[in-house]
């Protein structure tokens, strides 16, 4: 399960003191709404929207898994540690330095025209 793997992946990060993630109330409702609605964005024709939706869905899955195991305090601390430091900007020419894998057609459509028309 991806959520269990996510918890394991961040388990080596020291967890600072953090507030508990409630399983009910506003945060619980937010988790429910995100879980219900993110699927619409995962199927977007815009790759950036897909990427953010999948990331958010994984975090929601990690929250649910942590709640089920009673580890929400630990997860909250680990998530805070992940986002604690400022990200450095990427050099404008960095993408150009990444070699294109053999056989990858960067001009090929990611979604078919039919899928785009459905949106």
């Amino acid at each position: 399960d991806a959520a269990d793997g996510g918890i394991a992946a961040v388990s080596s990060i020291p967890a600072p003191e953090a507030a508990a993630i409630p399983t009910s109330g506003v945060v619980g409702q937010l988790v429910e709404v995100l879980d219900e609605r993110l699927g619409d964005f995962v199927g977007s024709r815009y790759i950036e929207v897909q990427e953010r939706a999948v990331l958010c869905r994984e975090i929601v899955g990690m929250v649910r898994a942590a709640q089920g195991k009673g580890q929400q305090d630990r997860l909250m601390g680990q998530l805070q540690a992940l986002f604690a430091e400022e990200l450095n900007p990427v050099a404008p020419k960095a993408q150009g330095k990444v070699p294109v894998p053999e056989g990858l057609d960067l001009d090929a459509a990611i979604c078919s025209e039919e899928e785009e028309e459905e949106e």
Side-chain angles (χ1 to χ4, degrees):
D1 182 57
D4 290 335
I7 292 173
V10 295
S11 64
S12 63
I13 298 172
E17 293 299 318
I21 302 171
T23 56
S24 61
V26 175
V27 174
Q29 291 172 355
L30 178 61
V31 168
E32 292 296 323
V33 169
L34 285 172
D35 200 28
E36 290 173 12
R37 307 252 171 98
L38 281 172
D40 296 338
F41 297 101
V42 169
S44 172
R45 68 181 178 171
Y46 302 105
I47 194 72
E48 294 87 0
V49 173
Q50 289 179 15
E51 181 181 356
R52 288 177 179 95
V54 169
L55 174 63
C56 191
R57 181 185 267 179
E58 288 300 313
I59 292 173
V60 167
M62 290 171 60
V63 168
R64 285 186 178 269
Q67 288 172 335
K69 295 178 180 180
Q71 297 178 346
Q72 53 269 44
D73 292 343
R74 180 177 171 87
L75 176 63
M76 183 65 130
Q78 291 169 340
L79 288 173
Q80 286 177 347
L82 282 174
F83 297 105
E85 294 185 25
E86 186 175 331
L87 294 175
N88 293 326
V90 175
K93 295 183 181 182
Q95 186 66 41
K97 294 180 181 181
V98 176
V100 176
E102 187 177 323
L104 177 63
D105 182 5
L106 295 176
D107 295 321
I110 294 173
C111 297
S112 69
E113 289 182 23
E114 294 171 0
E115 291 174 343
E116 289 181 14
E117 291 174 5
E118 291 175 6
E119 293 179 18

